[in-house]
Amino acid sequence: MKPKSNIMHLPVYQPGKPIEEVKKELGLSTVTKLASNENPFGCSPLAKKAMLDEIEQASLYPDGGSVQLRETLAAHLGVDENQLIFGAGSDEVILMLARAFLVSGDETIMADRTFPQYKHNAEIENAVCVEVPLLNGKHDLDAMLEKITSKTKIIWVCNPNNPTGTIVTHREMTAFMAKVPKDILVVLDEAYCEYNDGEEYPDGIQLLKEHVNLLLLRTFSKIYGLASLRIGYGIGHPEVVHTINQVREPFNTTRMAQAAAKAAIQDQAFIETCKQHNRQGIAYLTQEVKRLGLDSFPAYGNFMMIHVNRPAQDVFQALLQKGYIVRSGASLGFPASIRVTIGSQEQNEGFVQALEEILAVIPEAEMAT
């Protein structure tokens, strides 16, 4: 059998190690996963009830148009229902975008250290990925503008950026959009937007009103705590959404996911509580990182990239032995850093204690973060 030649070199996405695998592998009874930016506080009780209620409908296909969820989400966001497209996680919307807009030879621009699914899906379509180095851990929008050519179809901006956690501001994004040609689609990935409510963070919905060539990506996997249900969405101009819908598979989101997401939207008190805990966790870890003589990128999501000044893989393995799963920067382009999810206060304190013990054993090394 002969697969497409342009996919032969593509890496398979490597998620954070599962808790059960680490327990079995290392003989540990307690393992804390801080690797995949999941919500340590779970999901809303309303979402749990909605899932249980939906079990009775398991034999029926889901609503292919996600009508009830669409109505609820559109009202919550203040957008029209025909501006929404749903996927099995926002990563499926990324897949659909690449499928709908990119053909062989097209160019697509992204940061060189960002969510890998942009590049992965673009390369499946045999598009040319133009990667622009980050500047102090954040998108260099001016440099990205300079890379635009007549072949450019899509520009990806992950905000907050994964894995660094940094943001481009509303002012920066506004200036950027004003300079991007209207026939180029800008995808603003806001998977962690609910963790931000300051004036610095871009108002994606407002920008959407001003630019028909903008599409926002959001998800229920992060602050809403529904990662296992795989449901995310895009918000865009109706014509753009219609184009993406033309390549969407039927019944691509489940009944349970739709019901849970609809219920979760209606419990904004839970979201606010999670946001407050996350803010406190960032403050605590920032303080502790400095106490340990380390540095980190500013954190605007529910994770932090910490520069440990030691081989990231060594620190990752040592933390694993102590029952803490994080992400090694070695696989993210930061060989002397680790990415850690903001956990509960108990989890954060346990992580810091483990890290401090490890730093005392693994000597500091001269290496780029």
Side-chain angles (χ1 to χ4, degrees), residues 293-310:
L294 305 178
D295 195 8
S296 65
F297 286 126
Y300 288 90
N302 68 335
F303 60 95
M304 180 180 292
M305 177 156 277
I306 301 172
H307 309 313
V308 291
N309 305 326
R310 293 155 174 82

Side-chain angles (χ1 to χ4, degrees), residues 101-359:
F101 288 98
L102 298 176
V103 298
S104 179
D106 283 344
E107 294 180 358
T108 178
I109 300 171
M110 64 200 70
D112 67 337
R113 299 289 181 263
T114 192
F115 188 49
Q117 293 309 100
Y118 312 145
K119 183 177 181 180
H120 182 81
N121 284 288
E123 290 190 333
I124 289 173
E125 304 303 328
N126 215 19
V128 177
C129 295
V130 180
E131 297 177 272
V132 178
L134 295 172
L135 184 61
N136 298 321
K138 63 183 287 186
H139 285 72
D140 188 343
L141 296 182
D142 289 336
M144 295 176 85
L145 286 170
E146 292 175 1
K147 294 295 184 179
I148 292 175
T149 72
S150 60
K151 296 182 178 180
T152 304
K153 281 287 200 64
I154 301 178
I155 302 175
W156 309 86
V157 179
C158 188
N159 204 45
N161 186 44
N162 183 3
T164 58
T166 57
I167 63 166
V168 295
T169 66
H170 185 79
R171 179 182 59 80
E172 292 166 339
M173 198 65 201
T174 299
F176 176 72
M177 288 302 303
K179 296 176 183 178
V180 175
K182 299 302 180 186
D183 61 343
I184 296 174
L185 181 65
V186 176
V187 179
L188 183 60
D189 189 341
E190 299 184 318
Y192 304 92
C193 66
E194 290 90 357
Y195 289 106
N196 293 275
D197 52 15
E199 292 183 1
E200 270 194 321
Y201 191 74
D203 183 343
I205 301 297
Q206 182 58 43
L207 288 170
L208 197 60
K209 296 175 182 177
E210 302 165 4
H211 301 281
V212 297
N213 60 325
L214 178 66
L215 184 103
L216 310 179
L217 289 178
R218 296 186 179 181
T219 183
F220 289 97
S221 296
K222 302 306 178 184
I223 202 167
Y224 283 99
L226 300 177
S228 70
L229 298 187
R230 310 309 305 125
I231 184 158
Y233 59 99
I235 320 167
H237 189 274
E239 291 183 10
V240 174
V241 168
H242 175 74
T243 298
I244 303 168
N245 251 320
Q246 289 177 300
V247 301
R248 181 178 63 84
E249 298 296 332
F251 312 120
N252 65 321
T253 61
T254 67
R255 295 188 69 96
M256 188 172 290
Q258 291 177 28
K262 177 187 173 185
I265 294 166
Q266 297 167 328
D267 192 356
Q268 290 301 307
F270 174 80
I271 299 303
E272 186 60 34
T273 297
C274 293
K275 185 189 301 183
Q276 293 297 331
H277 284 312
N278 187 73
R279 187 176 293 122
Q280 292 164 6
I282 288 176
Y284 169 76
L285 283 185
T286 300
Q287 167 191 300
E288 291 300 294
V289 164
K290 290 180 180 177
R291 181 181 66 81
L292 295 174
L294 305 178
D295 195 8
S296 65
F297 286 126
Y300 288 90
N302 68 335
F303 60 95
M304 180 180 292
M305 177 156 277
I306 301 172
H307 309 313
V308 291
N309 305 326
R310 293 155 174 82
Q313 198 63 17
D314 291 352
V315 176
F316 164 79
Q317 289 293 345
L319 282 167
L320 209 58
Q321 295 289 335
K322 291 181 177 291
Y324 287 89
I325 311 173
V326 300
R327 287 301 292 266
S328 167
S331 62
L332 304 173
F334 294 89
S337 304
I338 58 173
R339 192 194 71 188
V340 57
T341 302
I342 309 300
S344 66
Q345 185 61 23
E346 180 182 4
Q347 290 172 333
N348 294 335
E349 290 175 359
F351 161 74
V352 168
Q353 180 180 340
L355 180 61
E356 186 169 13
E357 293 170 358
I358 290 165
L359 296 177

Side-chain angles (χ1 to χ4, degrees), residues 63-74 77 79-94 96 217-220 230-235 241 244-245 247-249 251-254 257-258 261-262 265:
D63 172 11
S66 305
V67 173
Q68 293 186 29
L69 173 58
R70 183 181 303 276
E71 291 175 352
T72 300
L73 183 58
L77 297 174
V79 300
D80 293 333
E81 292 176 27
N82 62 358
Q83 290 185 265
L84 297 171
I85 176 84
F86 294 95
S90 58
D91 48 359
E92 192 196 18
V93 184
I94 294 169
M96 290 188 283
L217 289 178
R218 296 186 179 181
T219 183
F220 289 97
R230 310 309 305 125
I231 184 158
Y233 59 99
I235 320 167
V241 168
I244 303 168
N245 251 320
V247 301
R248 181 178 63 84
E249 298 296 332
F251 312 120
N252 65 321
T253 61
T254 67
Q258 291 177 28
K262 177 187 173 185
I265 294 166

